Amino acid sequence: MLQGKFIGVKEDANTFVVEQKFTVRKAENVTIRATALGVYAMRLNGKRVGDAFLAPGWTSYNKMLQVQEYDVTVLVREGENQLAIAVSEGWYCGPLAWDRRLAYGKRPAVCADILADGKVISCTGTDWTARESYIRKSGIYDGETQDFTAPLNKLTPAVVAYDKKNLVPQMCEPVQTTQRIPVKEVIRTPRGELVYDFGQNLAGVAEIVTDADFEGTLTLSFAEILVKGNFYTDNLRSAKATDTFTVKGEAILSPEFTFHGFRYMKLEGAELPPEKITALVRHTDMKRTGRLETDNALFNRLYENVVWGQRGNFVDIPTDCPQRDERLGWTGDINAFCRTAAYNYDIRAFMKKWLKTVRDDQLPDGKIPHVVPDILGWADTDAMWSDVVTMVPWTLYQMYGDLSFLSDNYAAMKKFVSARENAMEDGLVARGHEYGDWLALDKEVMEQESPFGRTDSYFLTNVLHSNTLKIVAETAKLLGKEKAAKKYRGKYEAHLKKMRRAYFTQTGRLAFDTITAQAVSLFFGIVPEKYRTKLAATLNANIKKHGTRVITGFIGTPFLLYALADNGYFETACELLLNEHFPGWLYEVKMGATTVWERWNSLLPDGTPNPDGMNSYNHYAYGSVMEFVYRRIAGIEAASAGFEKAEICPHPCKGLARVYAEYESVSGTVGAGYEQKEGEIVYTVKIPEGMQAYLSLPGEERAPLSAGTHTFVRKLPQEE
Ligand code: BGC
C-alpha cells in the first residue's frame, strides 16, 4: 500500500517535521498517501493538506493502521514543490490513562508516498530532511505548546520498523472541525481569572487571534464547569488540558495534535477581546440522520445534550468522555448508547472501524477488553461491557440492514460465548470481573456509596448472557448456519431455564428487589411469561416508592423505560423521563448541563461537584434514553432490519404536548409525531416510497400506511 519507509528521528523529539522537495509536470494529478505511528499533519508549499485532524486515528496499531489519501492537485505547482509533514506522539506513544502508560511504541514515525498520475514519484526515507517543529510538545491529555520564536534545529531522520501488512485504507470519516462557536460571555471569576464561556460543553480546541503588536506567551486552559464561579479543573484529574503559544505579531493560533473537553477557557498572558477567540468543535464528521423536537424547552435541551454528548465522544473512537485523563473506548458505554447514536447520526463507518479493533483486541480465549483499543490490558466477561461484541453488531444490523455487521463479528461472538461458559458454574456465570450496574444510586441499604450499584452483578451477567445467546442464535440463522443456530438456541433455552430456576421463586417472585433487576428481567424476557404482569406492577410500585426518580446505573438505565412502557406503564416511563428533580435527566438540564453527565450526582443540588475523582460532565451513557423517545414516543421503530418495514407508533406523553422526529433511514426518511391542540390530537406521519409501514395509534388497530405525509386527527380523551 505504501512504498515509503516509516521514518522518525534519532533525537528525542515529541514532535518533529520531515520534509522533501519534488517536481511535478503541468496537468499531473497529484495525490499523497500517508500514515503515522502517532499523529501527523502535512503542509504542501506552506498550505495545510486536507482538513482531517488527528490522522491516522486510533486503532490497535500493532494490528491495523489506517492510511489516508489526499488529492493535492490544487495545491501543487508546476516545477518544484515542498512537502512538510509534522508528526507527534498522539495515542501511539503519548501517555494514556490515569497511570500514563505508553501503549504501543516509544517514538513517533511517519510514512508517505507522493504520486503523480498514480505513480509514486517520492516516498519517505532517510533522504528526507528532518527538523524541529514550532510545536514543541503536544499530548492528547496535556495539550500543546507552540513557539514561533525559537530556532528550529535540524534533526536526523531514521528508519523505524513497522509491519506494513497491517496497513488498510482509512475506514471512516475523519475527525474535522465541524462547527465554530463564538464566545458567549467573558467572565472575571471571584479568584480574578479571565474566563471565556462558549455556552456549550464540547470536544475540540480554541482558536485565538493575536494582533501585530502582540509579543509574548498566551496560556489557554480548559474546564467543563465553574464552581462557585471559579474555573474548576479537578475533574480532569492528571490531564493538563493546557495550550501555550509564544508568538510575536499577528497570528491565528490553534493546536494541531490535541483536543479538550470544555465549555470554559481560561486565558493568561493577555486580555483578548472575545471576537479574537473561537471554539472549534472537532469530532468524526458523521452525517446527521435524526432530529427530534418537542414543545418542552427543558426536554429539547436534553435532546441537544445527548447529541452534543455524541459529538464530544465520537472522536475517532467511541469514548467515555473527552476531558480527563481517560477518553478511552469503554465498551459498556457505547453498548448502552449505540442505538441512540445510530438514530442521531450515520455511524456505520465509524462503528465498522471500531468493531474491527474490538476483534483485533479480543483475547484468544474470547474475553473482551474493557476499553478498545485495549491499552489497559483488562479483559473479561463483564455484563454489558463485554456484551458489546454481540449487542452492538446486532443493533447496527437492525438499524442499517447490513448483514456484514453480523458476518464480520460472528466468530468473535462465538468465542465470547465460550469465554462466558468458562466462567460458569452449574450452567450460570459465576466468576469474573463485573462493573455491575455501574454508578447506580440505589444505595439506600449501603453504608456508603459504591460505584457498582446494589444489583447482584452475576445476575446481571446472566441476564445479558441470555440476550447474547439469543443474538448469536439469530445471527447464525441469518447467516444460513442452521446447525449453529439450533445449537445456540438450545444453549439459550437451557440457560434461561437455569436462570429462572435460580432467580425466581415458585410463585414468581424475583430474588432481587432493585429497579434494575426488575427492569432487565422484563426487558430481556427473563421473567416467566405468566409472572410478567406481576413483575411489571412490582417495578412500577418500586419506582413510585423511590419518588419516580432515576437511580439506575449503566445497565438498568438503557432498558428501564422500555420495561415500563412495554408492560403497561407508559405513563410512569414518561414521568421518569420528564422528572425535574434530583436525580434525573431534566435535573441535569435544570442545573445548567449542556451535555449528559457521567453520574446522576455529578453536580449536587447545592451546585458542588461530586467529590469523586471520576466525574465527567460529558458522558453519553445515560443519553441512551433518547432511543426510547424516537421509538416509543415519536414512534419510529424498525420492523425489519434497515427499516424496509417500519412500525409507526406515536404515543402522547404527558408533559410533551408536541413531539416530532424524523429519521433518515437507509430505506428513506421517515417521520412521526403528534401535537395536542384544544381537545384534539393531530398525528403526523411521513413515509418514504418503498417502505412498508404500519401505523398503530393508541388504542387502535394496527393498519398499513402508504408512502407520503399523513395526518390523523383524534379527540383527546377527557382528563379525569
Ligand atoms: C469510565 C466509564 C467506564 C467505567 C468502567 C470509567 O472510568 O469513564 O464510563 O465504563 O470506568 O466502569
Side-chain angles (χ1 to χ4, degrees):
M1 261 198 101
L2 284 175
Q3 290 185 17
K5 295 198 163 64
F6 277 83
I7 53 168
V9 291
K10 288 210 171 119
E11 297 79 2
D12 230 346
N14 162 286
T15 304
F16 59 86
V17 176
V18 296
E19 284 174 311
Q20 185 60 294
K21 295 198 168 74
F22 61 96
T23 21
V24 292
R25 274 171 305 163
K26 204 176 172 190
E28 273 182 321
N29 270 318
V30 183
T31 52
I32 300 174
R33 291 191 190 133
T35 190
L37 301 171
V39 283
Y40 74 95
M42 303 194 286
R43 285 184 173 271
L44 184 53
N45 303 324
K47 293 222 170 70
R48 196 176 191 282
V49 175
D51 39 21
F53 286 88
L54 302 171
W58 194 2
T59 51
S60 188
Y61 295 121
N62 302 324
K63 291 151 194 153
M64 176 172 105
L65 180 61
Q66 297 183 111
V67 175
Q68 290 71 44
E69 184 165 333
Y70 309 82
D71 185 339
V72 294
T73 311
V74 294
L75 291 179
V76 289
R77 51 190 176 224
E78 199 182 352
E80 196 176 76
N81 290 270
Q82 199 199 26
L83 180 68
I85 314 180
V87 193
S88 189
E89 293 180 346
W91 296 282
Y92 180 79
C93 48
L96 293 175
W98 45 88
D99 57 0
R100 308 246 143 185
R101 59 186 77 195
L102 303 187
Y104 302 98
K106 289 211 177 81
R107 288 173 169 214
V110 63
C111 181
D113 291 356
I114 305 170
L115 300 92
D117 286 343
K119 278 202 212 75
V120 176
I121 54 165
S122 176
C123 62
T124 41
T126 42
D127 56 326
W128 287 43
T129 56
R131 61 166 170 84
E132 291 174 343
S133 165
Y134 67 84
I135 300 174
R136 311 306 296 185
K137 194 171 170 33
S138 193
I140 300 282
Y141 298 158
D142 289 343
E144 193 159 304
T145 303
Q146 299 186 359
D147 186 346
F148 293 88
T149 60
L152 302 179
N153 295 318
K154 265 182 117 53
L155 300 170
T156 329
V159 171
V160 171
Y162 183 77
D163 190 346
K164 285 194 190 164
K165 76 171 188 327
N166 300 330
L167 299 180
V168 298
Q170 170 82 19
M171 290 181 77
C172 72
E173 302 89 342
V175 172
Q176 290 189 350
T177 301
T178 61
Q179 193 178 340
R180 299 172 61 87
I181 300 190
V183 171
K184 205 173 153 206
E185 200 189 336
V186 183
I187 298 168
R188 203 38 98 169
T189 68
R191 253 193 238 130
E193 303 145 317
L194 174 61
V195 170
Y196 299 83
D197 176 8
F198 297 100
Q200 175 60 54
N201 196 351
L202 58 96
V205 298
E207 179 190 272
I208 53 170
V209 180
T210 53
D211 284 337
D213 60 358
F214 180 81
E215 185 172 358
T217 298
L218 292 165
T219 303
L220 285 55
S221 36
F222 297 88
E224 291 187 291
I225 57 163
L226 303 181
V227 174
K228 299 204 174 98
N230 289 314
F231 196 70
Y232 177 85
T233 55
D234 287 5
N235 69 323
L236 307 188
R237 295 195 305 223
S238 73
K240 294 197 186 81
T242 300
D243 301 326
T244 68
F245 303 95
T246 302
V247 59
K248 186 168 182 298
E250 238 174 316
I252 301 175
L253 303 161
S254 68
E256 177 68 49
F257 296 127
T258 190
F259 68 95
H260 314 295
F262 66 102
R263 168 175 169 170
Y264 301 95
M265 183 192 106
K266 181 172 85 178
L267 179 64
E268 290 161 296
E271 290 187 18
L272 296 183
E275 331 58 272
K276 303 272 181 190
I277 303 174
T278 312
L280 309 183
V281 180
R282 280 187 190 158
H283 52 81
T284 298
D285 189 22
M286 307 155 290
K287 179 173 147 204
R288 185 77 185 264
T289 49
R291 289 185 193 273
L292 201 149
E293 223 222 315
T294 78
D295 67 313
N296 178 327
L298 277 184
F299 178 83
N300 288 346
R301 183 64 239 193
L302 171 67
Y303 176 73
E304 290 306 322
N305 292 2
V306 172
V307 171
W308 274 105
Q310 180 164 1
R311 296 177 72 182
N313 284 294
F314 277 50
V315 181
D316 203 62
I317 61 154
T319 57
D320 55 337
C321 58
Q323 74 297 86
R324 67 175 176 234
D325 50 6
E326 208 156 337
R327 315 184 199 184
L328 303 175
W330 281 98
T331 48
D333 304 46
I334 187 61
N335 194 12
F337 189 63
C338 185
R339 196 184 294 257
T340 294
Y343 270 98
N344 291 337
Y345 286 90
D346 183 346
I347 60 169
R348 281 177 286 179
F350 178 89
M351 292 306 295
K352 219 166 211 244
K353 163 184 168 278
W354 185 73
L355 283 167
K356 162 73 168 67
T357 306
V358 172
R359 299 194 296 278
D360 280 347
D361 283 351
Q362 182 177 26
L363 262 48
D365 67 1
K367 287 178 182 160
I368 302 292
H370 298 171
V371 299
V372 173
D374 178 20
I375 56 136
L376 296 178
W378 298 350
D380 217 311
T381 54
D382 305 66
M384 196 74 185
W385 275 254
S386 307
D387 294 280
V388 76
V389 72
T390 54
M391 289 168 78
V392 162
W394 183 251
T395 298
L396 294 168
Y397 168 66
Q398 296 299 322
M399 291 300 287
Y400 299 116
D402 178 351
L403 208 54
S404 73
F405 281 115
L406 298 181
S407 53
D408 286 354
N409 296 295
Y410 178 58
M413 294 181 187
K414 288 194 300 183
K415 256 206 289 181
F416 170 57
V417 169
S418 54
R420 273 260 173 77
E421 285 171 352
N422 289 336
M424 282 182 176
E425 265 162 39
D426 193 24
L428 291 176
V429 186
R431 282 191 299 275
H433 181 272
E434 294 294 341
Y435 287 108
D437 191 20
W438 186 247
L439 302 183
L441 283 191
D442 50 3
K443 60 171 181 180
E444 62 271 42
V445 299
M446 287 186 166
E447 288 299 300
Q448 40 174 219
E449 197 181 319
S450 128
F452 301 104
R454 200 161 67 84
T455 309
D456 183 275
S457 57
Y458 290 118
F459 166 72
L460 289 173
T461 308
N462 281 299
V463 172
L464 272 293
H465 190 59
S466 175
N467 183 49
T468 273
L469 289 172
K470 219 196 295 186
I471 291 172
V472 180
E474 280 299 305
T475 297
K477 198 163 117 197
L478 286 160
L479 298 177
K481 299 175 192 302
E482 287 306 326
K483 243 176 80 191
K486 227 174 125 197
K487 174 173 138 190
Y488 284 96
R489 186 85 209 164
K491 281 179 189 283
Y492 162 72
E493 278 160 11
H495 178 257
L496 182 61
K497 217 166 161 184
K498 288 256 178 200
M499 282 196 79
R500 288 178 170 170
R501 202 175 304 146
Y503 298 126
F504 285 88
T505 67
Q506 279 182 354
T507 55
R509 258 178 82 130
L510 177 58
F512 311 102
D513 66 353
T514 65
I515 290 172
T516 288
Q518 294 161 350
V520 297
S521 296
L522 287 162
F523 183 84
F524 291 108
I526 308 303
V527 60
E529 270 322 299
K530 59 179 173 184
Y531 301 129
R532 176 175 286 276
T533 321
K534 199 162 118 187
L535 183 60
T538 310
L539 168 64
N540 189 54
N542 202 359
I543 288 184
K544 303 266 158 172
K545 188 174 108 190
H546 287 90
T548 320
R549 316 273 166 102
V550 232
I551 54 168
T552 44
F554 276 33
I555 298 187
T557 307
F559 313 111
L560 177 60
L561 301 195
Y562 293 105
L564 288 163
D566 295 351
N567 291 289
Y569 296 96
F570 183 84
E571 279 178 18
T572 307
C574 290
E575 265 178 66
L576 262 183
L577 174 69
L578 298 178
N579 156 53
E580 294 176 16
H581 304 283
F582 172 79
W585 284 283
L586 296 188
Y587 161 75
E588 296 186 8
V589 175
K590 283 188 107 175
M591 292 297 283
T594 60
T595 36
V596 176
W597 301 340
E598 175 170 26
R599 303 168 172 267
W600 296 120
N601 55 358
S602 280
L603 207 56
L604 300 164
D606 66 2
T608 54
N610 191 305
D612 193 291
M614 193 193 75
N615 187 23
S616 135
Y617 294 91
N618 194 356
H619 241 67
Y620 53 48
Y622 291 147
S624 58
V625 70
M626 218 36 86
E627 62 166 270
F628 176 84
V629 185
Y630 277 111
R631 298 168 79 189
R632 294 291 192 273
I633 299 180
I636 301 176
E637 174 73 300
S640 71
F643 285 81
E644 268 173 21
K645 295 186 190 155
E647 288 290 337
I648 308 300
C649 49
H651 197 146
C653 162
K654 199 168 162 198
L656 301 175
R658 176 172 58 84
V659 175
Y660 185 71
E662 244 178 47
Y663 172 58
E664 190 181 331
S665 80
V666 293
S667 304
T669 299
V670 48
Y674 64 83
E675 181 167 10
Q676 292 176 10
K677 296 179 183 158
E678 297 120 48
E680 273 180 359
I681 182 147
V682 182
Y683 295 94
T684 304
V685 180
K686 188 169 140 186
I687 305 297
E689 256 346 295
M691 180 182 282
Q692 200 184 328
Y694 292 89
L695 175 70
S696 308
L697 295 180
E700 295 185 26
E701 289 278 300
R702 177 171 173 270
L705 255 189
S706 56
T709 303
H710 309 269
T711 53
F712 303 90
V713 183
R714 297 289 184 270
K715 284 258 159 310
L716 256 186
Q718 294 298 317
E719 289 249 358
E720 283 130 49

